[in-house]
Amino acid sequence: MSVTSAGIPLVRVRGLTKSFGPSPVLRGVDLDVARGEVVAVIGASGSGKTTMLRCVNLLERYDGGSVMVDGVEIGYRQDSRRARGERELARLRAGIGMVFQHFNLFPHLTAAENVTLGLRKVRRLSRREARERAMHWLGRVGLADQVDRLPYELSGGQQQRVGIARAVAMSPKVLLLDEITSALDPELVGEVLSVVRQLAGEGMTMIVVTHEMSFARDVASRVVFMDGGRVAVSGTPQEVFGRQDNARLRAFLSRIELRLYPDGAGA
Amino acid sequence: MTVMLASLPFLLQGLLTTLRVSAIVVVIALAGGVLLGIGLTYGPRLVAWPIRLYSDVVRGLPLLVLIFALYYGLPALGVKFGSFWAALTALAAFETAHVAEVARGALQSIQAGQTEAGKAIGLTFGQRMLYVVFPQALRRFVPPWINTVVDTVKGSALVSLVGIVDLMLSIQQVIGRTFQPMPLYVLGALIYFAINYALSLAARGLEARFAYVRD
């Protein structure tokens, strides 16, 4: 695993385990994400990458191990090891942004209202401040002229950009992206990824679960390959995509028809 | 026809009682039913299970049995209950269970992703209900809920069987004096129908109003 910058990692996952009924999904995941780092998580479906991501803001409870974000254990109170209450959890989640595969916009609210809801009710901004901030972020994702549209009036790519604006407007410490282009028509993927690319350029810390290998290669500072509920390979994009000695990784990469390094260069 | 007109003032008192009983029951059943529906949908097992039991038992009994049970049964247990409140409680308990199921259905129709999106921006449970789930569930709640209101108005006729002079009993009292059942039952049917048809129209109007999402 590559060494992160000095200090405590912003997100620190240790020995994370989780089962759905009798079948284990996570078998001890370790992952460090430093401030400003963009970590792409790749792996076959069922490898546990989405479940791991959902544990970071506790949309999924974990059975064992630990998730720390900015030095705070997410899953339980550090003093008593008891589950956190609703309010504590809400406060922690407000600092962890998430963008979903299926957008999950609030269909009864306009694009702007989708963004202002959290700003008003969680951040307690005034109506005007919240609106201004929503305008700023919707402008940043290229939707300045769509702010008063309802989600169903927007294309998939536009909806997902609202989803990104909704998450980043809360000024999260870290942004979790869960296969955010998987539900999009191919021609709409680019507009969403370019927004993410911009955020990465500005130093937003991100954990990106993705099937877009070229995106992972271009934008991620580190790529993590998950297999069977564990982190199997971790390193720079060049290291991971070039590695020949892990059969599971090679099989996965060839299944998704990756031909980045046909001669193994960069390994 | 003259009998119908002549009896109207007398029936008016009964009609007011019917409306009053229905209104009280609708309010109680709405508040109680929504709370129980939330408990059924989101509550831990310890909360959801007793509600499920209550709802299944109450909905599985004929309303009349419930009214008699409270009217005759409770005094035997030492609880003093006037006939009005016994009947009203029974009707409210019955409708509450039905509203709870309507609320549960409406709440469960909201995709899990909506709750997750609300969690992800840091909304608490109450805020998620208020700003995310309820506004969306409302349009699925209102039409079947109005059915329960219609059921309440119709079911309220049964309170006449424990001696409460509602529309139904006042009709029978007029029949007892005039020996003209047909015109009076027709009149009664028309009045009940008028109330409930108005409610159905309101339901249709509301359904159209809530059709803000194409899906």
Side-chain angles (χ1 to χ4, degrees), chain A residues 28-241:
Chain A
V29 176
D30 295 321
L31 181 69
D32 283 348
V33 182
R35 233 170 271 275
E37 206 179 12
V38 176
V39 173
V41 182
I42 61 171
S45 61
S47 63
K49 52 194 193 307
T50 285
T51 303
M52 185 273 290
L53 194 73
R54 289 163 57 85
C55 285
V56 175
N57 68 349
L58 217 70
L59 286 185
E60 213 73 74
R61 291 205 156 274
Y62 42 92
D63 302 334
S66 145
V67 175
M68 307 259 273
V69 176
D70 205 13
V72 179
E73 176 66 48
I74 296 292
Y76 47 83
R77 290 191 179 153
Q78 272 131 314
D79 48 359
S80 59
R81 293 197 64 89
R82 291 182 49 181
R84 290 183 185 280
E86 181 67 22
R87 279 177 186 285
E88 275 178 78
L89 212 47
R91 196 166 39 76
L92 289 174
R93 282 178 177 140
I96 306 171
M98 186 157 199
V99 184
F100 298 87
Q101 179 176 3
H102 297 288
F103 327 140
N104 296 356
L105 294 186
F106 307 125
H108 58 300
L109 300 179
T110 63
E113 288 166 343
N114 265 275
V115 181
T116 55
L117 182 61
L119 297 174
R120 301 253 300 126
K121 304 303 172 188
V122 179
R123 295 285 185 232
R124 303 267 168 214
L125 296 189
S126 72
R127 190 180 293 275
R128 218 197 59 221
E129 286 173 306
R131 175 86 183 175
E132 276 170 13
R133 200 138 140 199
M135 289 305 163
H136 168 76
W137 280 107
L138 287 170
R140 284 286 311 277
V141 301
L143 295 172
D145 50 349
Q146 313 280 342
V147 292
D148 293 321
R149 296 279 175 100
L150 286 168
Y152 78 84
E153 299 175 296
L154 301 172
S155 73
Q158 290 172 328
Q159 288 189 49
Q160 192 58 297
R161 285 184 279 150
V162 175
I164 294 171
R166 177 173 69 180
V168 292
M170 297 290 289
S171 316
K173 295 166 182 158
V174 55
L175 195 56
L176 312 176
L177 308 182
D178 185 13
E179 301 191 23
I180 62 167
T181 57
S182 300
L184 293 177
D185 292 337
E187 75 270 21
L188 301 178
V189 168
E191 64 188 62
V192 171
L193 291 186
S194 82
V195 169
V196 178
R197 195 170 278 126
Q198 271 182 45
L199 290 172
E202 290 159 22
M204 173 70 76
T205 309
M206 291 189 269
I207 307 179
V208 187
V209 169
T210 186
H211 289 295
E212 300 285 337
M213 292 307 137
S214 59
F215 176 75
R217 185 197 52 185
D218 295 348
V219 177
S221 35
R222 200 147 52 84
V223 174
V224 162
F225 171 63
M226 281 188 67
D227 184 44
R230 284 194 192 87
V231 171
V233 181
S234 170
T236 65
Q238 286 71 23
E239 285 165 3
V240 172
F241 290 123

Side-chain angles (χ1 to χ4, degrees), chain B residues 46-131:
Chain B
L46 213 65
V47 173
W49 203 81
I51 300 174
R52 170 59 45 229
L53 184 72
Y54 162 80
S55 172
D56 285 351
V57 167
V58 167
R59 287 181 310 129
L61 295 175
L63 177 53
L64 188 57
V65 170
L66 215 56
I67 291 175
F68 281 166
L70 289 190
Y71 181 67
Y72 293 113
L74 284 183
L77 295 174
V79 182
K80 289 210 189 288
F81 239 13
S83 60
F84 180 80
W85 288 107
L88 193 122
T89 304
L91 190 53
F94 188 75
E95 293 303 334
T96 297
H98 282 90
V99 174
E101 296 300 330
V102 169
R104 179 190 57 79
L107 292 172
Q108 282 181 347
S109 75
I110 306 305
Q111 290 170 6
Q114 290 294 307
T115 295
E116 292 184 352
K119 283 180 179 175
I121 56 172
L123 297 178
T124 61
F125 178 79
Q127 290 174 324
R128 293 198 300 273
M129 289 297 111
L130 213 54
Y131 304 119

Side-chain angles (χ1 to χ4, degrees), chain A residues 4-21:
Chain A
T4 55
S5 59
I8 314 162
L10 183 59
V11 178
R12 161 167 255 172
V13 177
R14 280 291 175 276
L16 197 65
T17 58
K18 162 94 187 165
S19 300
F20 289 121

